[in-house]
Amino acid sequence: MNIAGSVALVTGANRGIGRRFVDELLERGATKVYAAVRQPDQLAEGEFADARVEVLRLDLLDATSVTDAAARATDVTLLVNNAGISTGANLLGDGDLEGLRLELDTHFFGTLSVIRAFKPVLAANGGGAVVNILSALSWFSTEGANAYAVAKAAEWAMTNGVRLELAGQGTLVQGVHLGAADTRLMDGYDGPMLNPREVAVATLDGVEAGAIEVLVDEWARLVKSSLANDPSGFYAEALAARV
């Protein structure tokens, strides 16, 4: 599909990768961009100056806000599921499972609820496209982000499933994988990070090319290629450090 002339909705649009999506969509000629945010009342005055941007409330954990957004944004042709969290939770730590449940409720069930709500909207508008911002952590785990990795793996599997279920209405479903991007979500991370705009550029290039998967950086490509090998090699260093 062409980005020029499209009507897009971006979740988590107020900062980081989501904000770069809004900017890039406008630059490429989108007719309208719905900037979906959890708390519109906390946006700075004039946050989105372009008249083509319409702010609406959408909270992945609030089913009513999701259905209300779909009822309001009936002209959407491109849905970008970008919103997410990172709790820093592991799987076997002391205490309850709330961190893991929150990750799954947000990335898996929350994103799926948005796709379900917008399925008829996209169908009515010719099919369009759904983009799910995933992660290289869809394919590996690391301490301090094990709950996130589980949730992203589930979201990846969900992406593959809805791709098949939406094919009949002509909707492209794209999964986007990357290592680390320079956003608030990665505060405290001291490794190399992408400029968030690179994610938006690579993703939208992929949408226009009809790609069902985009590997934004070398780390995502490396991790995916490792899946064909014995995992002992990939995890050797991490496991040795804990002996």
Side-chain angles (χ1 to χ4, degrees):
M1 65 176 292
N2 292 324
I3 302 302
S6 66
V7 176
L9 184 144
V10 181
T11 66
N14 53 313
R15 62 176 182 263
I17 294 172
R19 181 55 191 267
R20 299 289 81 77
F21 264 109
V22 173
D23 295 341
E24 188 67 19
L25 285 160
L26 295 172
E27 187 171 323
R28 295 189 185 211
T31 301
K32 187 174 187 178
V33 179
Y34 291 97
V37 300
R38 192 165 56 88
Q39 297 175 308
D41 58 324
Q42 293 190 8
L43 292 176
E45 186 175 352
E47 180 75 22
F48 297 102
D50 195 299
R52 291 173 291 169
V53 177
E54 181 176 333
V55 175
L56 55 76
R57 179 176 179 271
L58 194 156
D59 182 341
L60 297 184
L61 302 182
D62 180 348
T64 299
S65 80
V66 173
T67 55
D68 287 350
R72 176 172 164 184
T74 57
D75 49 353
V76 165
T77 59
L78 172 60
L79 173 63
V80 180
N81 289 307
N82 162 76
I85 60 165
S86 179
T87 65
N90 277 325
L91 304 177
L92 301 177
D94 295 335
D96 56 33
L97 293 171
E98 287 310 302
L100 175 58
R101 288 194 176 99
L102 182 58
E103 298 266 12
L104 285 166
D105 283 344
T106 301
H107 295 117
F108 179 77
F109 290 108
T111 300
L112 179 59
S113 72
V114 175
I115 296 171
R116 289 168 64 95
F118 278 91
K119 174 187 174 183
V121 173
L122 293 168
N125 294 322
V130 173
V131 169
N132 289 345
I133 303 301
L134 304 172
S135 172
L137 278 160
S138 306
W139 300 317
F140 79 104
S141 294
T142 185
E143 283 207 55
N146 281 332
Y148 183 87
V150 167
K152 283 299 182 181
E155 189 180 358
W156 174 50
M158 177 268 285
T159 300
N160 292 331
V162 298
R163 178 180 298 122
L164 299 177
E165 295 187 33
L166 292 177
Q169 67 177 45
T171 300
L172 171 73
V173 177
Q174 180 192 95
V176 178
H177 299 265
L178 62 140
D182 190 6
T183 68
R184 198 169 80 176
L185 195 71
M186 296 305 297
D187 283 352
Y189 179 75
D190 61 1
M193 292 189 284
L194 291 164
N195 184 319
R197 183 176 181 271
E198 294 180 62
V199 182
V201 169
T203 298
L204 296 180
D205 285 349
V207 170
E208 293 192 317
I212 65 172
E213 182 174 86
V214 171
L215 306 179
V216 179
D217 58 3
E218 185 57 33
W219 181 240
R221 291 186 284 273
L222 173 66
V223 174
K224 186 176 184 185
S225 68
S226 76
L227 297 177
N229 303 322
D230 185 325
S232 62
F234 185 88
Y235 290 106
E237 183 177 349
L239 292 173
R242 288 162 177 78
V243 173

